[in-house]
């Protein structure tokens, strides 16, 4: 592609930047094998937008676009991000906002939301010089929707745009104990919701799921599998796939909610099951929010695994729904003894992650990070232990009363 030097000249200042003003990037202990991203700058306007990220050393880069919504994805080797706290929250020119984080072990990703269709004019990484760090540079220029979609289709043909599916542990056919799949929400580039001091949903729910796993395993009656055990991103469809593939007898997705300031305050735990029509507008908003995870992480939605094809949907789903609702009731009863509940603690909405037609599934929102008291609970070890114990109790009571012999090992 021809370099239009003149049109980019005014952006040259970005390349020289001020990244070294604070001295060379610090090395994080234990992560010093990874390159470090130290600063990021946006320049230009809607006619030409430049994105620059400073790096401790040169890295490889793969850039491509995704439609609906319009996004640019930058896949890079695993990088330690030490960017300013508000980096990515606002944009400039063709870039509305951007996110960054771990996609899988060894691989990081940046996802740039576009204000309108744009083409990648240039994407490259320059080596460090005497007075400047290595830099990743992305130049964007406006284009029309039709050209944008054509490019997306071309990109899709030349290479898979998705991370490779993770290897799943082989099902242990000798072990007939029911399998409980715990699904800590979000991860990696998708932080989930954030508290006022930056406490992230993805970390809260991962820790909670770990404690819950211990509690369940301690009973000796169940096997437990987690959809993620680290800070990696897992697409929603993949979470469902992991549960179905492993023959789960129960799927519990774990989240924390937050209410936008303008919508007032809410508190307490809520248990959700799947339904096409949401219980109320808050449930609908939440499902929409949680279903955005794949868009946030730059997953091409048309590539979602279609796991439900070929199943006698109606029959399987009706039974599954009954079990899901039974478990949800149990869970609310047990949670009540351990923590504050939302004023309507049992709801349903169209959560993608609850769509397995043959695995009873619920999604629990442990509380609101936007509420002061809830956040204090969510961050407390004692609260996490007590509440995890109540969820484990609900699981045990569900299996021992409702499904002994029918569901166990049925898959
Ligand atoms: Zn969530």
């Amino acid at each position: 592609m021809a370099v239009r030097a003149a049109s980019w000249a005014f952006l040259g200042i970005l390349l020289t930047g001020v990244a070294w003003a604070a001295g060379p990037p610090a090395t994080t202990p234990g992560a010093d094998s990874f390159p470090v991203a130290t600063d990021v700058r946006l320049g230009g306007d809607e006619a030409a937008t430049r994105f620059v990220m400073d790096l401790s050393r040169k890295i490889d880069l793969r850039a491509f676009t995704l439609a609906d919504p319009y996004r640019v994805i930058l896949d890079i080797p695993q990088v330690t991000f030490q960017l300013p706290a508000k980096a990515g929250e606002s944009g400039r020119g063709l870039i509305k906002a951007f996110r960054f984080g771990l996609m899988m072990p060894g691989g990081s990703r940046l996802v740039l939301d576009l204000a309108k269709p744009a083409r990648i004019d240039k994407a490259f990484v320059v080596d460090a010089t005497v007075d400047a760090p290595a830099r990743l540079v992305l130049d964007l220029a406006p284009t029309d929707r039709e050209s944008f979609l054509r490019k997306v289709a071309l990109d899709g043909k030349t290479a898979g745009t998705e991370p490779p599916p993770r290897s799943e542990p082989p099902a242990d056919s000798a072990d007939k104990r029911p399998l409980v799949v715990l699904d800590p929400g979000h991860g990696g580039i998708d932080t989930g919701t954030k508290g006022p001091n930056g406490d992230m949903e993805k970390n809260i729910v991962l820790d909670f799921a770990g404690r819950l796993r211990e509690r369940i395993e301690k009973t000796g009656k169940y096997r437990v599998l987690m959809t993620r055990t680290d800070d990696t991103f897992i697409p929603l469809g993949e979470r469902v796939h992991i549960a179905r593939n492993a023959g789960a007898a129960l799927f519990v997705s774990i989240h924390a909610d937050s209410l936008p300031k303008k919508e007032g305050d809410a508190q307490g735990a809520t248990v959700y099951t799947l339904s096409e029509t949401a219980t109320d507008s808050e449930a609908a908003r939440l499902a929409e929010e949680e279903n955005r995870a794949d868009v946030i992480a730059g997953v091409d939605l048309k590539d979602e695994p279609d796991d439900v094809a070929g199943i006698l949907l109606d029959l399987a789903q009706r039974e599954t729904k009954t079990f899901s609702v039974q478990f949800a009731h149990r869970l609310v009863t047990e949670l009540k003894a351990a923590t504050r509940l939302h004023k309507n603690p049992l709801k349903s909405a169209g959560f993608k992650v609850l769509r397995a037609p043959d695995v009873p599934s619920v999604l629990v929102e442990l509380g609101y990070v936007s509420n002061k008291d809830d956040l204090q609970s969510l961050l407390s070890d004692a609260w996490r232990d007590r509440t995890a114990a109540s969820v484990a109790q609900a699981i045990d009571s569900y299996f021992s009363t409702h499904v002994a012999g029918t569901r166990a090992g049925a898959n």
Side-chain angles (χ1 to χ4, degrees):
M1 199 169 291
V3 179
R4 293 177 299 129
S7 59
W8 293 111
F10 73 100
L11 296 172
I13 184 73
L14 287 171
L15 278 173
T16 51
V18 291
W20 292 103
T27 313
T28 308
D32 41 16
S33 55
F34 299 120
V36 183
T38 52
D39 198 11
V40 67
R41 296 177 294 284
L42 295 174
D45 51 29
E46 289 201 355
T49 309
R50 170 164 283 184
F51 172 95
V52 178
M53 184 168 74
D54 294 339
L55 291 156
S56 60
R57 63 169 185 264
K58 203 174 170 186
I59 55 171
D60 289 329
L61 162 70
R62 188 170 155 263
F64 58 94
T65 46
L66 286 177
D68 304 324
Y70 300 120
R71 285 158 292 169
V72 171
I73 316 296
L74 301 172
D75 276 342
I76 55 180
Q78 184 165 344
V79 152
T80 303
F81 290 98
Q82 291 177 354
L83 300 179
K86 302 263 176 203
E89 286 183 14
S90 56
R92 179 171 177 158
L94 295 160
I95 298 171
K96 254 201 314 206
F98 61 90
R99 296 169 292 284
F100 45 86
L102 192 63
M103 199 60 185
M104 60 188 132
S108 291
R109 172 175 279 195
L110 293 124
V111 179
L112 288 68
D113 295 326
L114 300 179
K116 51 167 81 171
R119 66 184 167 79
I120 298 171
D121 193 43
K122 290 196 284 303
F124 58 92
V125 181
V126 288
D127 235 332
T129 60
V130 224
D131 51 3
R135 283 140 296 159
L136 179 158
V137 182
L138 172 77
D139 285 341
L140 297 175
T143 185
D144 56 90
R145 176 169 173 84
E146 202 185 311
S147 316
F148 187 90
L149 293 180
R150 208 178 307 131
K151 186 73 177 88
V152 169
L154 271 176
D155 283 349
K157 257 181 215 138
T158 51
T161 53
E162 293 322 310
R166 312 180 120 203
S167 55
E168 289 148 28
D172 180 357
S173 53
D175 193 339
K176 296 291 181 207
R177 292 175 302 162
L179 176 70
V180 178
V181 171
L182 301 179
D183 175 49
H186 312 277
I189 188 169
D190 171 23
T191 60
T193 191
K194 267 192 226 168
N197 299 321
D199 298 299
M200 296 179 203
E201 177 185 354
K202 66 172 184 178
N203 298 332
I204 293 171
V205 299
L206 180 62
D207 177 82
F208 186 90
R211 290 170 199 245
L212 176 55
R213 171 190 210 152
E214 260 175 53
R215 295 270 171 175
I216 302 170
E217 282 178 341
K218 237 177 29 203
T219 67
K221 297 196 250 177
Y222 312 99
R223 291 173 293 144
V224 180
L225 178 66
M226 290 185 25
T227 53
R228 68 178 178 97
T229 52
D230 56 18
D231 187 25
T232 322
F233 175 79
I234 316 283
L236 297 173
E238 182 72 17
R239 294 169 191 261
V240 176
H241 179 75
I242 288 171
R244 299 197 60 222
N245 205 44
L250 185 66
F251 178 85
V252 185
S253 193
I254 302 162
H255 291 256
D257 202 352
S258 84
L259 205 59
K261 263 211 178 80
K262 59 178 172 14
E263 287 178 34
D265 202 5
Q267 57 176 29
T270 314
V271 177
Y272 287 87
T273 53
L274 176 70
S275 70
E276 288 314 313
T277 328
T279 320
D280 54 33
S281 60
E282 208 206 321
R285 168 201 62 82
L286 178 72
E288 198 176 306
E289 198 58 44
E290 299 291 10
N291 289 345
R292 281 189 72 239
D294 289 351
V295 167
I296 286 171
V299 172
D300 193 350
L301 299 183
K302 70 178 186 334
D303 284 350
E304 273 193 354
D306 184 11
D307 240 21
V308 297
I311 288 191
L312 291 169
L313 274 184
D314 226 29
L315 271 179
Q317 266 173 333
R318 222 173 303 152
E319 192 202 35
T320 302
K321 193 176 173 181
T322 307
F323 282 114
S324 302
V325 170
Q326 281 173 353
F327 175 62
H329 278 280
R330 284 278 153 180
L331 191 48
V332 164
T333 305
E334 294 298 337
L335 278 171
K336 203 184 292 172
T339 185
R340 193 170 29 241
L341 295 182
H342 188 267
K343 59 182 189 306
N344 309 114
L346 256 181
K347 292 192 192 185
S348 60
F351 294 93
K352 278 189 189 171
V353 82
L354 300 181
R355 291 233 159 111
D358 47 359
V359 182
S361 303
V362 308
L363 182 146
V364 53
E365 297 280 349
L366 294 170
Y368 289 81
V369 301
S370 51
N371 176 271
K372 224 177 110 219
D373 293 342
D374 273 12
L375 183 61
Q376 201 180 7
S377 295
L378 289 164
L379 297 176
S380 138
D381 278 330
W383 181 91
R384 287 181 188 177
D385 282 334
R386 187 173 75 234
T387 308
S390 77
V391 179
Q393 178 58 46
I395 290 171
D396 192 35
S397 126
Y398 164 78
F399 279 110
S400 44
T401 54
H402 289 286
V403 285
T406 50
R407 201 78 211 176
N411 290 294

